């Protein structure tokens, strides 16, 4: 009888799904954004949602080597992945503390909470305080203190590293941008911090008035053109690829996938690749998406399944099982075809990708 092996399970074999991260493009994007703000302005990085889906462990060391020194995540649970990579004091948690457990974690790790409300400030001070950031709402009406709260005596007791606000419409030419800038100037008069920060990716392209001391780009680092001014300066970083796990030959009339939404007009070769909606390749790509192999475009056939997608291999008779196909995922055109925002296209990319 076989005795069960109670030791460590062996390492999993390589996945048939990979996300190639172009580290040079990532570093170049950070430098391009940094060059868009002059003088002493520092360029940080929003690395929430696992580095916008690319993998914080992959992107943080590359950005750090490029010169980035300030990191922003949304949740406390996103801090642990960063702690081995960068100093705790360089990480800020945008959602701030909801309870004493969050506050205790911030104080134990040395990570800065971004305090968004009078309740959060009270929680922080009750626990003894320490270096923190503050978010002021200047018109997005999401997180942040109201301008009217800024006279509160509790605020004078804070040790504020950075005072933030966040733009609602930086990707548009909206009068709200100037209005938020004006309100941010009022906030700056009332609140003493070592640094001030307003701009996300798109805000950087709005010009020097929006740069303050520190910028917080996310999308543009990862290849998204947050504003048209960035065309030619920002390069694609994420390149998904999937392996062909089966090749089959169809006859005229054969239908492919759930509900048979594609029917072969004649004999044709198709491949099934290991990529599906559970990986973030949503059903909106059914009959719309495409892969590439050695310069040939290979259209997606029929419905996207949870774990699989069928691809037309008619143009590439030499593609076999095990070959890797590159997904068409240029963010600008993929956004147009899918109706998804570039933010969604990136953060959807699931945990089953090997990130390389
Ligand atoms: C996500 C986020 C950013 C980054 O925004 P992008 O549009 O991706 O550049 C900056 N600041 C705050 C507060 C955020 O939540």
């Amino acid at each position: 009888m076989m005795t069960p092996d109670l030791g460590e399970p062996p390492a999993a074999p390589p996945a048939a799904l990979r996300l190639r991260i172009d580290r040079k493009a990532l570093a170049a994007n950070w430098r391009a954004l940094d060059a868009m703000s002059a003088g002493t302005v520092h360029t940080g990085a929003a690395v929430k949602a696992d580095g916008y889906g690319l993998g914080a462990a992959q992107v943080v060391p590359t950005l750090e080597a490029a010169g980035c020194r300030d990191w922003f995540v949304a949740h406390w649970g996103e801090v642990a992945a960063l702690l081995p990579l960068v100093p705790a004091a360089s990480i800020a948690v945008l959602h701030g503390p909801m309870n004493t457990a969050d506050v205790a974690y911030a104080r134990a790790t040395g990570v800065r909470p971004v305090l968004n409300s009078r309740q959060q400030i009270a929680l922080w001070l009750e626990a003894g305080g320490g270096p923190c950031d503050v978010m002021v709402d200047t018109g997005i009406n999401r997180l942040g203190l109201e301008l009217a709260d800024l006279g509160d005596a509790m605020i004078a007791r804070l040790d504020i590293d950075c005072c933030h606000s966040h733009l609602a419409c930086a990707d548009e030419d909206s009068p709200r941008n100037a209005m938020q800038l004006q309100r941010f100037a009022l906030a700056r008069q009332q609140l003493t911090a070592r640094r001030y920060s307003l701009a996300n990716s798109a805000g950087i392209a709005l010009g020097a008035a929006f740069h303050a001391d520190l910028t917080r780009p996310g999308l543009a680092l990862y290849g998204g053109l947050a504003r048209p001014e960035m065309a030619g300066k920002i390069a694609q970083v994420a390149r998904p690829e999937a392996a062909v796990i089966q090749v089959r030959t169809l006859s005229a009339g054969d239908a492919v996938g759930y509900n048979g939404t594609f029917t072969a007009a004649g004999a044709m070769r198709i491949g099934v690749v290991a990529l599906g909606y559970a990986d973030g390749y949503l059903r909106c790509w059914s009959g719309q998406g495409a892969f590439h192999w050695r310069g040939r475009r290979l259209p997606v056939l029929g419905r996207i399944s949870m774990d699989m997608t069928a691809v037309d291999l008619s143009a590439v008779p030499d593609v076999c099982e095990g070959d890797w196909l590159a997904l068409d995922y240029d963010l600008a055109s993929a956004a147009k075809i899918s109706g998804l925002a570039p933010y969604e296209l990136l953060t959807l990319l699931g945990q089953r990708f090997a990130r390389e």
Side-chain angles (χ1 to χ4, degrees):
M1 214 177 95
M2 288 241 311
T3 47
D5 180 359
L6 298 176
E8 282 287 302
L17 185 59
R18 66 193 181 198
L19 183 61
R20 306 206 97 134
I21 313 286
D22 185 339
R23 289 172 185 274
K24 280 194 184 137
L26 177 63
N29 289 345
W30 186 86
R31 285 193 292 266
L33 293 165
D34 194 47
M36 289 173 79
S37 56
T40 57
V41 179
H42 286 273
T43 302
V47 295
K48 58 196 180 184
D50 200 23
Y52 283 46
L54 274 59
Q58 279 70 26
V59 305
V60 168
T62 301
L63 294 172
E64 214 260 343
C68 185
R69 295 292 177 268
D70 290 274
W71 313 96
F72 299 94
V73 295
H75 285 253
W76 294 97
E78 296 177 322
V79 168
L82 269 59
L83 285 177
L85 306 173
V86 294
S90 68
I91 304 168
V93 178
L94 292 162
H95 285 184
M98 286 297 296
N99 49 48
T100 52
D102 292 345
V103 167
Y105 185 76
R107 286 169 56 88
T109 54
V111 168
R112 298 191 321 275
V114 180
L115 304 176
N116 293 291
S117 65
R118 298 175 68 244
Q119 292 92 307
Q120 291 195 346
I121 292 173
L123 263 175
W124 186 242
L125 288 174
E126 274 160 29
C132 62
D133 285 7
V134 162
M135 174 68 70
V136 180
D137 185 87
T138 54
I140 193 169
N141 283 302
R142 223 171 49 169
L143 292 179
L145 294 157
E146 306 268 346
L147 286 179
D149 291 334
L150 299 186
D152 194 305
M154 281 195 302
I155 293 177
R157 294 168 53 203
L158 292 173
D159 175 9
I160 305 174
D161 177 25
C162 190
C163 169
H164 301 268
S165 190
H166 190 55
L167 298 165
C169 309
D171 57 344
E172 298 175 70
D173 293 325
S174 162
R176 289 177 188 271
N177 294 326
M179 181 200 77
Q180 286 198 259
L181 185 60
Q182 208 171 24
R183 290 186 183 168
F184 192 53
L186 290 176
R188 292 179 67 155
Q189 286 169 14
Q190 293 183 66
L191 199 149
T192 307
R194 285 188 280 284
R195 307 184 289 172
Y196 296 86
S197 173
L198 178 62
N200 60 349
S201 301
I204 294 172
L206 290 179
F210 290 82
H211 296 162
D213 301 309
L214 170 67
T215 61
R216 307 183 306 266
L219 183 70
L221 293 173
Y222 311 114
L225 296 180
R227 279 188 65 97
E229 293 88 338
M230 291 181 177
K233 293 183 179 165
I234 295 297
Q236 181 89 5
V237 175
R239 303 176 193 283
E241 297 182 351
V244 176
I245 55 177
Q246 189 165 357
V247 171
R248 58 194 316 121
T249 305
L250 305 184
S251 310
D254 285 347
V256 174
Y258 286 121
N259 310 107
T261 60
F262 172 82
T263 306
M268 68 186 291
R269 249 174 118 244
I270 70 163
V272 176
V273 297
L275 169 71
Y277 59 76
D279 307 299
Y281 198 57
L282 303 187
R283 296 212 318 178
C284 60
W285 289 106
S286 302
Q288 306 270 353
F291 285 78
H292 262 88
W293 195 75
R294 296 189 184 162
R296 293 297 190 100
R297 184 175 183 275
L298 315 174
V300 162
L301 304 174
R303 284 258 153 92
I304 310 297
S305 298
M306 186 184 293
D307 322 299
M308 283 173 269
T309 294
V311 184
D312 186 351
L313 297 183
S314 309
V316 286
D318 35 354
V319 166
C320 322
E321 286 168 17
D323 282 339
W324 288 89
L325 308 181
L327 183 64
D328 275 7
Y329 215 65
D330 168 75
L331 287 179
S333 50
K336 268 193 203 118
I337 296 167
S338 65
L340 298 168
Y343 294 89
E344 294 172 302
L345 289 168
L346 291 174
T347 57
L348 279 166
L349 298 170
Q351 286 309 309
R352 298 194 295 194
F353 281 94
R355 286 164 166 83
E356 319 189 323

